[in-house]
Amino acid sequence: MKDAQPSAIFLQDYKAPSFIISRTELSFELFEDHALVHSQLHMQRDAGAAGPLVLDGQDLELVSVAVNDVPLTSAQYTVDAESLSIAELPDTFVLSCTTRIKPQENTALEGLYRSQKMFCTQCEAEGFRRITYYLDRPDVMSEFFTEIVADKGKYPVLLSNGNLIEQNELPDNRHQVKWHDPHKKPCYLFALVAGDLVSLDDTFTTVSGRSVVLRIFVEQKDIHKCDYAMAALKKSMKWDEEVYGREYDLDIFMIVAVDDFNMGAMENKGLNIFNSSCVLANQVSTTDDNFLSVEAIVAHEYFHNWSGNRVTCRDWFQLSLKEGFTVFRDAEFSADMNSRTVKRIEDVKVMRTNQFAEDSGPMAHPVQPPSYIEISNFYTLTVYEKGAEVVRMIHQLLGAEAFRKGSDLYFSRHDGQAVTIKEFVSAMAEVSGRDFSQFMNWYQQAGTPEVALKGEYDPSAQTYKLTVKQHCRPTPECKDKKPYLIPLAMGLLGANGALPLYLGDDLDAEKPTHRVLEVTEAEQQFLFTQVAEEPVPSLFRNFSAPVKYQYNYSLDDLQRIITLDEDGFCRWDASQQMAISVIHRVLAEMAESPAPTVDSRIIDAHSALLDEAISAVTGNTEADLHLLAYMLSLPSEGYLAELKTPIDVEGIHFARNRVKRKLAAALKEKYRTLYVKLADATTEFSVDAAAIARRYLKNLCLDALVFAADEAGVELCKAQLHHANNMTDELSALRILVHNTNPFIGDVAPYLEAFYQKWKADSLVMNKWLAVQASRPAADALASVSSLLKHPAFDKNNPNKLRAVLGTFANGNPIGFHARSGAGYEFFADQVIAVDARNPQIAARLVAPLTQWKKHDEQRQGVMRNALEKISRVEKLSKDVYEIVSKSL
Ligand code: B3K
Ligand code: ZN
């Protein structure tokens, strides 16, 4: 441990800064083995504040320090591993510092570091302190001037935030550029890039007629992969003007792609830095999933320009203020650009499988956490995705128009400020006149509320009583949860369709078939009148609240929802609940019977869905093919694991496969018909929602045919692998062959080798190739995973490679990772320890699956715990990994 026991930081201890930095002048001299950073900070003491100035700094060599140009003697300041303190200071002064740093040795990828041949930065949350001494906190906002000096041949492109104001040639083949960012910002939004880059350039004319230069910088080898991101950027700029009234505010907007990056991308003011996997895309090397995520991430980072940069966070406990809101914004953007229902289902899958797991594990925390040891550990699904769900509920409660008024008020009132979640909610409360006090529980209580619903129909009174009970299990920071305000969007379905919803005596002349009930009590009843027949309720339409809900549906009830509901999300959800119920029955019977029953009603349901799809593809009817494909997909093993503890890893795998095999065998001919019709399409490649849906459904059919061990199906798959003109089809075919075993497939090694030879020069495609192998569902997968670590396509310092192999193995290969022997856990612990020594943030992310140990059976609990204990015994463990491991033991 760096520190014997790293201590926690608490929200309740927040104090405003004693000093402000009105102007920050930085000058970087970049060399091959070090960099010099000269800073001039124009500072003022806050009126009434006393005490020394304490600047944050980490891994810095202090070369010189002066106040108002007078060098300080060593007696006038103190330096330790985390700070520089100066006691005697006037109220207004300029502090000058020079620090020496080693970007070339920075494997943590925080602060200024080297990615391949370029220099780049990552400062959020606390990386700026690795560049120079500073008040590294988001409520210190400053105007930045940045000068960069470097070798002109190696680094012809030198970038920073804001506008370029000067460029000069210097002796010794060096050059200098100066940038100025007129918008005050916290240092976490600072960025610098130096490299041999080329750019794709374009322009965007804003709603008020200003022309903005758009530039995407990449290495020469990637220039043919920038068009898609550029189009996404322009769409995002337009959407933010139209939907939120937000216009861009500088003359230039730049994106830079870098290969070594800890997360997806970073919203630095005017200079977004992207993991190359989240910005580069083209037909032959990019899957549809990647295309959609590039579009979403480009939008997300762009939208931060207002929700995050112009209005930023007061402290890191407010992280969801910018992240939850921006995720909600990007989700709505993606929904507008593509299929709204499919986007919603995708997000719900992440919530249910991953966020719910986080919320019921040892790292459970509220959307606004009350404390942290290492803030990097709180860039979580709870802060991001649940935070977005909470904003979505505000949007639902207020309606689009009032929500827009609220966001306008929030942006105008707090422009240029660093604020809290409370200020955001207050703006929403003010425009709507609503009281949000109970709603704040969503921000302050951790854990997933569980909602149990029961319906009682009284045929003589023609009433339907819906009883709703809510409960939330205790979590460490809150033992006694208060009830939430839960928006429950719902409808009632009769045998032939939606029934009108009359609540109590309110006989609404409009005969609404959809309502949003507001559940506020621990137990509450809603009485519907004039209900002519016994209904099936359609509940939590569009997933109107991030809760686990339970209603005792029969398979016939679910079939009614699948067939009749107006809400696409509920149709999908019913298909999943039907599959879960059938899989659970197989699981229950497995112990006694070698051939457990697969209820034929799921086969009938899937058969009807396939007919619906065939009819739509033939052009006879309209249907959302992507939605139908999702309804034909069984819930993932990861989601099934979330539903019952202890997790029966093998049981889930075999029961799910048994159902899948029954379906594939029974419906083989329909899958074949559909595949042939979809593969036949002669239309040109495109990435619009309809084309993506067709490819998705086509590959689902192919998977079913190969799963059914259909010889002709296997041939179709091999042919698709050879002839595909896009990566979605090529990679799907490879994955299907590698993930299945049947006599017609034979040895898959030649297919993997051919793919490798074809794509080895493209590192992003190689990540997919690694991931396909790391996720091969087999109890002996560990052997291939450890050999991948020695493969030339792997690089232990590159986060994308670590995620592709280790992340995929632990999160996407339950049967391999959780192998009974415990070998997967031991291997993993050693990997986490090795990665932690180089890159603590990545190590802390990787370790997450082990922290779920309490959800497993006793034998696995023991081995998983041992693996965690082994990690915890490491002498120089980072704060990042220490926090996660110590909280989970
Ligand atoms: N704000 C960054 C995330 C920074 C993570 C730092 N460990 C990207 C984003 O959410 O847009
Ligand atoms: Zn973000």
Side-chain angles (χ1 to χ4, degrees):
M1 290 294 328
K2 279 185 198 139
D3 187 334
Q5 227 157 34
S7 49
I9 300 174
F10 294 87
L11 167 59
Q12 66 195 33
D13 295 342
Y14 172 82
K15 283 197 188 63
S18 306
F19 292 86
I20 60 161
I21 310 177
S22 52
R23 182 180 163 111
T24 298
E25 294 167 31
L26 300 170
S27 169
F28 290 80
E29 290 184 77
L30 304 178
F31 301 101
E32 289 313 286
D33 59 351
H34 73 283
L36 288 173
V37 185
H38 311 283
S39 72
Q40 296 229 313
L41 310 181
H42 296 246
M43 304 190 70
Q44 292 89 44
R45 187 188 290 275
D46 192 40
L53 169 68
V54 184
L55 297 164
D56 305 294
Q58 200 181 322
D59 294 337
L60 301 174
E61 179 192 333
L62 181 62
V63 177
S64 67
V65 50
V67 171
N68 292 335
D69 286 333
V70 182
L72 298 188
T73 65
S74 58
Q76 288 173 299
Y77 63 90
T78 50
V79 182
D80 64 22
E82 291 178 356
S83 62
L84 164 66
S85 313
I86 305 170
E88 300 294 324
L89 285 165
D91 286 346
T92 302
F93 57 95
V94 177
L95 179 76
S96 313
C97 259
T98 295
T99 51
R100 189 192 318 275
I101 53 177
K102 299 266 174 82
Q104 296 79 359
E105 291 168 20
N106 181 348
T107 55
L109 315 186
E110 281 186 274
L112 177 64
Y113 66 93
R114 196 147 176 134
S115 170
Q116 313 301 318
K117 287 192 216 135
M118 64 204 265
F119 288 98
C120 62
T121 52
Q122 172 51 38
C123 294
E124 186 177 357
E126 297 180 335
F128 194 77
R129 62 187 63 190
R130 292 164 179 263
I131 293 175
T132 186
Y133 288 102
Y134 203 78
L135 294 175
D136 189 0
R137 45 188 290 169
D139 55 356
V140 172
M141 300 176 83
S142 185
E143 185 178 348
F144 277 68
F145 293 80
T146 305
E147 173 187 291
I148 313 168
V149 175
D151 184 274
K152 189 159 187 202
K154 290 196 174 82
Y155 313 102
V157 174
L158 303 175
L159 308 173
S160 191
N161 316 87
N163 301 313
L164 180 67
I165 50 174
E166 207 179 311
Q167 308 195 56
N168 298 302
E169 304 287 318
L170 299 178
D172 300 327
N173 196 35
R174 290 176 75 78
H175 66 149
Q176 172 201 53
V177 299
K178 291 184 183 175
W179 291 83
H180 169 229
D181 182 358
H183 298 279
K184 285 198 173 208
K185 64 168 177 289
C187 63
Y188 83 83
L189 291 171
F190 170 79
L192 176 155
V193 169
D196 187 0
L197 304 170
V198 292
S199 65
L200 173 72
D201 298 355
D202 208 329
T203 56
F204 178 81
T205 307
T206 69
V207 65
S208 70
R210 280 189 312 104
S211 176
V212 179
V213 173
L214 310 176
R215 308 190 73 183
I216 300 183
F217 288 92
V218 294
E219 286 177 50
Q220 178 67 51
K221 67 176 170 58
D222 293 323
I223 191 68
H224 60 296
K225 291 191 185 179
C226 298
D227 302 276
Y228 184 78
M230 183 62 88
L233 175 60
K234 291 164 81 174
K235 286 196 254 181
S236 311
M237 295 177 87
K238 188 152 188 292
W239 188 90
D240 215 16
E241 290 181 345
E242 287 172 0
V243 181
Y244 280 86
R246 300 293 113 200
E247 192 176 340
Y248 186 61
D249 54 6
L250 285 165
D251 301 335
I252 180 165
F253 184 85
M254 297 173 282
I255 288 178
V256 182
V258 308
D259 287 335
D260 304 284
F261 207 64
N262 280 348
M263 64 277 170
M266 178 64 212
E267 70 264 24
N268 316 301
K269 184 78 189 188
L271 178 56
N272 286 190
I273 299 185
F274 271 64
N275 185 322
S276 50
S277 69
C278 297
V279 59
L280 303 178
N282 71 3
Q283 175 179 344
V284 290
S285 67
T286 305
T287 62
D288 291 337
D289 288 353
N290 296 152
F291 274 117
L292 294 178
S293 79
V294 166
E295 182 179 75
I297 297 172
V298 167
H300 179 98
E301 305 311 332
Y302 174 74
F303 296 156
H304 267 316
N305 189 53
W306 275 95
S307 49
N309 300 4
R310 290 286 288 250
V311 182
T312 193
C313 302
R314 185 192 74 172
D315 53 72
W316 294 120
F317 300 102
Q318 318 300 329
L319 184 56
S320 197
L321 173 73
K322 74 177 179 81
E323 296 304 348
F325 186 23
T326 306
V327 171
F328 171 68
R329 276 151 57 68
D330 84 56
E332 284 298 293
F333 166 77
S334 293
D336 283 347
M337 298 298 127
N338 305 290
S339 157
R340 179 162 281 274
T341 309
V342 166
K343 170 65 182 156
R344 190 69 190 127
I345 293 172
E346 273 299 313
D347 289 347
V348 173
K349 285 204 261 183
V350 172
M351 281 299 294
R352 284 182 169 167
T353 310
N354 309 105
Q355 196 280 326
F356 285 4
E358 183 170 281
D359 236 352
S360 61
M363 274 294 287
H365 55 275
V367 172
Q368 179 172 64
S371 73
Y372 58 78
I373 292 178
E374 169 54 62
I375 185 57
S376 299
N377 288 332
F378 286 79
Y379 286 75
T380 57
L381 292 163
T382 302
V383 165
Y384 275 65
E385 316 302 325
K386 186 175 178 181
E389 292 297 324
V390 173
V391 175
R392 179 177 295 279
M393 286 189 285
I394 299 179
H395 187 272
Q396 160 95 268
L397 293 168
L398 262 59
E401 215 175 296
F403 184 88
R404 167 67 193 270
K405 282 198 186 115
S407 76
D408 283 352
L409 176 63
Y410 167 73
F411 286 128
S412 65
R413 180 181 281 171
H414 300 295
D415 192 6
Q417 296 177 3
V419 300
T420 65
I421 286 170
K422 209 171 120 212
E423 264 105 42
F424 177 78
V425 178
S426 298
M428 295 295 170
E430 217 171 294
V431 296
S432 63
R434 261 185 169 266
D435 176 359
F436 274 87
S437 5
Q438 182 182 18
F439 189 84
M440 293 311 285
N441 293 340
W442 284 110
Y443 283 106
Q444 279 141 10
Q445 298 184 159
T448 308
E450 291 170 41
V451 180
L453 303 111
K454 215 177 83 192
E456 281 165 85
Y457 181 61
D458 180 342
S460 53
Q462 303 228 316
T463 57
Y464 180 76
K465 189 165 76 186
L466 186 66
T467 304
V468 188
K469 290 187 194 171
Q470 59 162 307
H471 166 75
C472 188
R473 287 168 210 237
T475 39
E477 88 305 330
C478 182
K479 302 276 173 269
D480 191 18
K481 301 278 167 70
K482 295 195 265 317
Y484 292 82
L485 190 169
I486 299 176
L488 167 52
M490 52 82 64
L492 294 177
L493 302 177
N496 298 312
L499 303 173
L501 302 174
Y502 301 120
L503 251 186
D505 300 330
D506 170 22
L507 293 186
D508 193 331
E510 301 214 331
K511 299 192 176 185
T513 55
H514 176 87
R515 278 185 185 265
V516 183
L517 309 177
E518 291 185 20
V519 180
T520 53
E521 313 284 331
E523 179 168 347
Q524 212 166 333
Q525 289 179 337
F526 298 89
L527 189 71
F528 295 92
T529 53
Q530 308 219 2
V531 185
E533 56 178 302
E534 176 152 26
V536 171
S538 152
L539 299 166
F540 287 100
R541 284 181 164 171
N542 203 34
F543 198 63
S544 60
V547 299
K548 292 181 189 170
Y549 50 92
Q550 212 269 324
Y551 180 92
N552 205 4
Y553 287 116
S554 67
L555 290 191
D556 294 333
D557 292 342
L558 293 169
Q559 184 56 48
R560 186 183 291 185
I561 299 175
I562 290 174
T563 321
L564 296 178
D565 207 343
E566 65 190 48
D567 186 80
F569 166 78
C570 279
R571 290 187 71 200
W572 169 78
D573 197 23
S575 76
Q576 300 303 289
Q577 290 191 49
M578 180 182 275
I580 290 165
S581 142
V582 172
I583 292 169
H584 279 172
R585 180 155 163 216
V586 171
L587 248 173
E589 285 181 19
M590 247 163 43
E592 283 102 54
S593 157
T597 330
V598 174
D599 197 302
S600 64
R601 279 173 292 182
I602 193 170
I603 299 174
D604 298 341
H606 282 223
S607 179
L609 291 170
L610 284 166
D611 288 340
E612 197 178 333
I614 292 169
S615 161
V617 170
T618 320
N620 296 335
T621 50
E622 287 267 317
D624 182 342
L625 293 180
H626 211 144
L627 173 62
L628 290 176
Y630 275 20
M631 292 169 78
L632 286 163
S633 308
L634 298 179
S636 69
E637 289 176 36
Y639 180 49
L640 290 164
E642 252 311 286
L643 300 176
K644 267 189 189 166
T645 46
I647 300 171
D648 181 354
V649 178
E650 289 84 5
I652 288 173
H653 183 71
F654 292 111
R656 182 181 184 278
N657 273 359
R658 175 161 172 80
V659 176
K660 189 172 167 186
R661 217 173 296 282
K662 270 270 176 201
L663 286 165
L667 303 171
K668 203 158 95 166
E669 293 318 317
K670 293 195 182 188
Y671 281 115
R672 197 188 324 275
T673 307
L674 198 48
Y675 178 84
V676 171
K677 285 189 190 299
L678 288 162
D680 204 26
T682 43
T683 44
E684 238 179 72
F685 177 85
S686 74
V687 275
D688 56 88
I692 291 175
R694 291 175 74 94
R695 278 191 289 276
Y696 188 90
L697 185 57
K698 177 177 71 179
N699 288 306
L700 177 114
C701 295
L702 191 59
D703 181 56
L705 287 172
V706 176
F707 202 78
D710 178 84
E711 186 176 4
V714 173
E715 287 315 311
L716 288 174
C717 190
K718 291 179 181 174
Q720 181 173 313
L721 178 63
H722 285 123
H723 303 302
N725 70 353
N726 65 83
M727 186 46 75
T728 303
D729 287 346
E730 188 170 349
L731 190 73
S732 296
L734 182 74
R735 183 185 299 113
I736 293 169
L737 293 177
V738 174
H739 285 202
N740 281 285
T741 41
N742 73 49
F744 308 113
I745 296 177
D747 182 10
V748 293
Y751 301 111
L752 283 166
E753 177 60 18
F755 190 95
Y756 171 69
Q757 291 303 338
K758 178 174 174 190
W759 289 108
K760 63 184 174 193
D762 189 321
S763 169
L764 297 179
V765 178
M766 278 297 100
N767 296 341
K768 304 178 207 299
W769 180 81
L770 292 166
V772 161
Q773 296 173 79
S775 55
R776 182 175 62 88
D780 65 353
L782 177 59
S784 17
V785 169
S786 32
S787 67
L788 287 177
L789 297 182
K790 296 180 201 98
H791 197 279
F794 184 75
D795 169 1
K796 68 179 179 10
N797 291 316
N798 179 270
N800 291 350
K801 305 281 171 208
L802 292 165
R803 279 185 280 260
V805 178
L806 300 174
T808 303
F809 178 55
N811 296 297
N813 192 348
I815 205 83
F817 178 64
H818 296 285
R820 265 282 160 225
S821 66
Y825 307 139
E826 278 172 43
F827 161 83
F828 207 68
D830 292 338
Q831 294 304 320
V832 168
I833 293 167
V835 174
D836 190 42
R838 304 188 296 269
N839 188 329
Q841 275 186 22
I842 297 294
R845 296 254 152 185
L846 286 176
V847 78
L850 280 179
T851 66
Q852 300 282 325
W853 63 276
K854 285 190 184 141
K855 297 178 183 165
H856 287 269
D857 59 44
E858 234 173 85
Q859 192 254 342
R860 282 199 172 97
Q861 284 197 10
V863 249
M864 291 177 91
R865 214 190 134 94
N866 286 345
L868 283 167
E869 277 167 355
K870 180 171 185 185
I871 299 173
S872 77
R873 285 193 299 272
V874 168
E875 220 179 288
K876 281 197 168 161
L877 205 58
S878 68
K879 221 158 69 161
D880 310 56
V881 172
Y882 169 81
E883 175 167 35
I884 309 260
V885 171
S886 63
K887 284 183 175 168
S888 60
L889 274 172

